[in-house]
PDB file of all heavy atoms in Angstrom:
ATOM      1  N   ALA A 398      -0.269 -15.011  13.626  1.00 93.00           N
ATOM      2  CA  ALA A 398       0.527 -16.115  14.158  1.00 93.00           C
ATOM      3  C   ALA A 398       1.128 -16.939  13.018  1.00 93.00           C
ATOM      4  O   ALA A 398       2.274 -17.401  13.111  1.00 93.00           O
ATOM      5  CB  ALA A 398      -0.331 -17.000  15.055  1.00 93.00           C
ATOM      6  N   ILE A 416      14.172  -1.789  -1.306  1.00 90.00           N
ATOM      7  CA  ILE A 416      13.582  -0.831  -0.369  1.00 90.00           C
ATOM      8  C   ILE A 416      14.616   0.145   0.171  1.00 90.00           C
ATOM      9  O   ILE A 416      14.387   1.352   0.225  1.00 90.00           O
ATOM     10  CB  ILE A 416      12.893  -1.591   0.789  1.00 90.00           C
ATOM     11  CG1 ILE A 416      11.640  -2.303   0.264  1.00 90.00           C
ATOM     12  CG2 ILE A 416      12.523  -0.646   1.941  1.00 90.00           C
ATOM     13  CD1 ILE A 416      11.015  -3.253   1.262  1.00 90.00           C
ATOM     14  N   PHE A 421      14.282   6.299  -5.160  1.00 92.00           N
ATOM     15  CA  PHE A 421      12.908   6.727  -5.424  1.00 92.00           C
ATOM     16  C   PHE A 421      11.924   6.202  -4.370  1.00 92.00           C
ATOM     17  O   PHE A 421      10.848   6.754  -4.205  1.00 92.00           O
ATOM     18  CB  PHE A 421      12.463   6.288  -6.821  1.00 92.00           C
ATOM     19  CG  PHE A 421      13.282   6.907  -7.915  1.00 92.00           C
ATOM     20  CD1 PHE A 421      14.125   6.131  -8.693  1.00 92.00           C
ATOM     21  CD2 PHE A 421      13.231   8.280  -8.151  1.00 92.00           C
ATOM     22  CE1 PHE A 421      14.891   6.701  -9.699  1.00 92.00           C
ATOM     23  CE2 PHE A 421      14.000   8.856  -9.147  1.00 92.00           C
ATOM     24  CZ  PHE A 421      14.830   8.069  -9.922  1.00 92.00           C
ATOM     25  N   GLU A 425      14.612   6.716   3.703  1.00 94.00           N
ATOM     26  CA  GLU A 425      14.985   7.632   4.789  1.00 94.00           C
ATOM     27  C   GLU A 425      13.770   8.362   5.362  1.00 94.00           C
ATOM     28  O   GLU A 425      13.633   8.511   6.571  1.00 94.00           O
ATOM     29  CB  GLU A 425      16.039   8.639   4.304  1.00 94.00           C
ATOM     30  CG  GLU A 425      17.397   8.020   4.062  1.00 94.00           C
ATOM     31  CD  GLU A 425      17.886   7.188   5.242  1.00 94.00           C
ATOM     32  OE1 GLU A 425      17.878   7.704   6.384  1.00 94.00           O
ATOM     33  OE2 GLU A 425      18.254   6.024   5.036  1.00 94.00           O
ATOM     34  N   ILE A 431       8.579   6.477  10.837  1.00 96.00           N
ATOM     35  CA  ILE A 431       8.343   5.349  11.738  1.00 96.00           C
ATOM     36  C   ILE A 431       8.948   5.617  13.112  1.00 96.00           C
ATOM     37  O   ILE A 431       8.338   5.304  14.142  1.00 96.00           O
ATOM     38  CB  ILE A 431       8.894   4.046  11.114  1.00 96.00           C
ATOM     39  CG1 ILE A 431       8.029   3.654   9.914  1.00 96.00           C
ATOM     40  CG2 ILE A 431       8.946   2.914  12.141  1.00 96.00           C
ATOM     41  CD1 ILE A 431       8.640   2.597   9.035  1.00 96.00           C
ATOM     42  N   ARG A 433       9.303   8.448  14.553  1.00 96.00           N
ATOM     43  CA  ARG A 433       8.427   9.413  15.233  1.00 96.00           C
ATOM     44  C   ARG A 433       7.158   8.741  15.752  1.00 96.00           C
ATOM     45  O   ARG A 433       6.707   9.024  16.859  1.00 96.00           O
ATOM     46  CB  ARG A 433       8.072  10.559  14.286  1.00 96.00           C
ATOM     47  CG  ARG A 433       9.232  11.469  13.978  1.00 96.00           C
ATOM     48  CD  ARG A 433       8.880  12.523  12.937  1.00 96.00           C
ATOM     49  NE  ARG A 433      10.042  13.292  12.562  1.00 96.00           N
ATOM     50  CZ  ARG A 433      10.539  14.305  13.255  1.00 96.00           C
ATOM     51  NH1 ARG A 433       9.949  14.676  14.383  1.00 96.00           N
ATOM     52  NH2 ARG A 433      11.608  14.954  12.845  1.00 96.00           N
ATOM     53  N   ALA A 451      18.804  -8.621   8.241  1.00 92.00           N
ATOM     54  CA  ALA A 451      18.616  -8.946   9.643  1.00 92.00           C
ATOM     55  C   ALA A 451      17.632  -7.969  10.277  1.00 92.00           C
ATOM     56  O   ALA A 451      17.528  -6.810   9.859  1.00 92.00           O
ATOM     57  CB  ALA A 451      19.957  -8.886  10.375  1.00 92.00           C
ATOM     58  N   PRO A 464      12.138 -11.541   2.562  1.00 94.00           N
ATOM     59  CA  PRO A 464      12.543 -11.667   1.154  1.00 94.00           C
ATOM     60  C   PRO A 464      11.348 -11.663   0.204  1.00 94.00           C
ATOM     61  O   PRO A 464      10.217 -11.921   0.609  1.00 94.00           O
ATOM     62  CB  PRO A 464      13.262 -13.027   1.110  1.00 94.00           C
ATOM     63  CG  PRO A 464      13.591 -13.347   2.527  1.00 94.00           C
ATOM     64  CD  PRO A 464      12.546 -12.683   3.378  1.00 94.00           C
ATOM     65  N   PRO A 469       1.262 -15.089  -4.744  1.00 94.00           N
ATOM     66  CA  PRO A 469       0.377 -13.943  -4.505  1.00 94.00           C
ATOM     67  C   PRO A 469      -0.495 -14.101  -3.257  1.00 94.00           C
ATOM     68  O   PRO A 469      -0.777 -13.128  -2.566  1.00 94.00           O
ATOM     69  CB  PRO A 469      -0.485 -13.865  -5.768  1.00 94.00           C
ATOM     70  CG  PRO A 469       0.253 -14.629  -6.803  1.00 94.00           C
ATOM     71  CD  PRO A 469       1.034 -15.676  -6.074  1.00 94.00           C
ATOM     72  N   VAL A 506      -1.214   4.890   3.681  1.00 98.00           N
ATOM     73  CA  VAL A 506      -0.654   6.236   3.856  1.00 98.00           C
ATOM     74  C   VAL A 506       0.481   6.333   2.855  1.00 98.00           C
ATOM     75  O   VAL A 506       1.466   5.592   2.952  1.00 98.00           O
ATOM     76  CB  VAL A 506      -0.146   6.476   5.294  1.00 98.00           C
ATOM     77  CG1 VAL A 506       0.529   7.843   5.391  1.00 98.00           C
ATOM     78  CG2 VAL A 506      -1.291   6.377   6.292  1.00 98.00           C
ATOM     79  N   THR A 508       2.630   8.902  -0.384  1.00 97.00           N
ATOM     80  CA  THR A 508       2.965  10.225  -0.897  1.00 97.00           C
ATOM     81  C   THR A 508       2.085  10.584  -2.087  1.00 97.00           C
ATOM     82  O   THR A 508       1.684   9.730  -2.874  1.00 97.00           O
ATOM     83  CB  THR A 508       4.450  10.292  -1.307  1.00 97.00           C
ATOM     84  OG1 THR A 508       4.804   9.107  -2.029  1.00 97.00           O
ATOM     85  CG2 THR A 508       5.331  10.405  -0.084  1.00 97.00           C
ATOM     86  N   GLN A 516      -5.313   6.291  -6.951  1.00 97.00           N
ATOM     87  CA  GLN A 516      -5.563   5.029  -6.262  1.00 97.00           C
ATOM     88  C   GLN A 516      -6.157   5.240  -4.873  1.00 97.00           C
ATOM     89  O   GLN A 516      -7.098   4.552  -4.484  1.00 97.00           O
ATOM     90  CB  GLN A 516      -4.247   4.241  -6.139  1.00 97.00           C
ATOM     91  CG  GLN A 516      -3.620   3.890  -7.467  1.00 97.00           C
ATOM     92  CD  GLN A 516      -2.240   3.281  -7.299  1.00 97.00           C
ATOM     93  OE1 GLN A 516      -1.438   3.753  -6.499  1.00 97.00           O
ATOM     94  NE2 GLN A 516      -1.959   2.224  -8.046  1.00 97.00           N
ATOM     95  N   GLY A 529       8.646  13.499   0.788  1.00 96.00           N
ATOM     96  CA  GLY A 529       9.766  13.852   1.643  1.00 96.00           C
ATOM     97  C   GLY A 529       9.382  14.536   2.942  1.00 96.00           C
ATOM     98  O   GLY A 529      10.189  15.280   3.505  1.00 96.00           O
ATOM     99  N   ALA A 552     -10.580   0.791   6.188  1.00 98.00           N
ATOM    100  CA  ALA A 552     -10.299  -0.558   5.684  1.00 98.00           C
ATOM    101  C   ALA A 552     -11.466  -1.071   4.841  1.00 98.00           C
ATOM    102  O   ALA A 552     -11.267  -1.612   3.741  1.00 98.00           O
ATOM    103  CB  ALA A 552     -10.028  -1.503   6.851  1.00 98.00           C
ATOM    104  N   LEU A 565      -9.919  -6.852 -11.793  1.00 77.00           N
ATOM    105  CA  LEU A 565      -9.290  -7.244 -13.053  1.00 77.00           C
ATOM    106  C   LEU A 565     -10.309  -7.484 -14.156  1.00 77.00           C
ATOM    107  O   LEU A 565     -10.107  -7.081 -15.309  1.00 77.00           O
ATOM    108  CB  LEU A 565      -8.427  -8.494 -12.841  1.00 77.00           C
ATOM    109  CG  LEU A 565      -7.568  -8.924 -14.026  1.00 77.00           C
ATOM    110  CD1 LEU A 565      -6.616  -7.811 -14.453  1.00 77.00           C
ATOM    111  CD2 LEU A 565      -6.791 -10.178 -13.677  1.00 77.00           C
ATOM    112  N   ASP A 570     -12.853  -5.697 -19.288  1.00 76.00           N
ATOM    113  CA  ASP A 570     -14.053  -5.241 -20.019  1.00 76.00           C
ATOM    114  C   ASP A 570     -13.876  -3.810 -20.524  1.00 76.00           C
ATOM    115  O   ASP A 570     -14.282  -3.491 -21.651  1.00 76.00           O
ATOM    116  CB  ASP A 570     -15.282  -5.311 -19.108  1.00 76.00           C
ATOM    117  CG  ASP A 570     -15.715  -6.749 -18.819  1.00 76.00           C
ATOM    118  OD1 ASP A 570     -15.281  -7.655 -19.557  1.00 76.00           O
ATOM    119  OD2 ASP A 570     -16.469  -6.946 -17.849  1.00 76.00           O
ATOM    120  N   GLY A 574     -13.861  -2.621 -24.360  1.00 82.00           N
ATOM    121  CA  GLY A 574     -14.778  -1.574 -24.806  1.00 82.00           C
ATOM    122  C   GLY A 574     -14.045  -0.431 -25.481  1.00 82.00           C
ATOM    123  O   GLY A 574     -14.501   0.111 -26.501  1.00 82.00           O
ATOM    124  N   MET A 587      -8.575   3.868 -48.647  1.00 54.00           N
ATOM    125  CA  MET A 587      -8.870   3.327 -49.977  1.00 54.00           C
ATOM    126  C   MET A 587      -7.539   3.065 -50.697  1.00 54.00           C
ATOM    127  O   MET A 587      -6.661   3.895 -50.689  1.00 54.00           O
ATOM    128  CB  MET A 587      -9.698   4.326 -50.787  1.00 54.00           C
ATOM    129  CG  MET A 587     -11.058   4.625 -50.158  1.00 54.00           C
ATOM    130  SD  MET A 587     -12.128   3.196 -50.043  1.00 54.00           S
ATOM    131  CE  MET A 587     -12.503   2.929 -51.757  1.00 54.00           C
TER     132      MET A 587
END
Side-chain angles (χ1 to χ4, degrees):
I416 290 171
F421 297 112
E425 289 309 309
I431 290 166
R433 290 175 186 279
V506 175
T508 44
Q516 299 172 317
L565 187 58
D570 289 343
M587 298 298 290

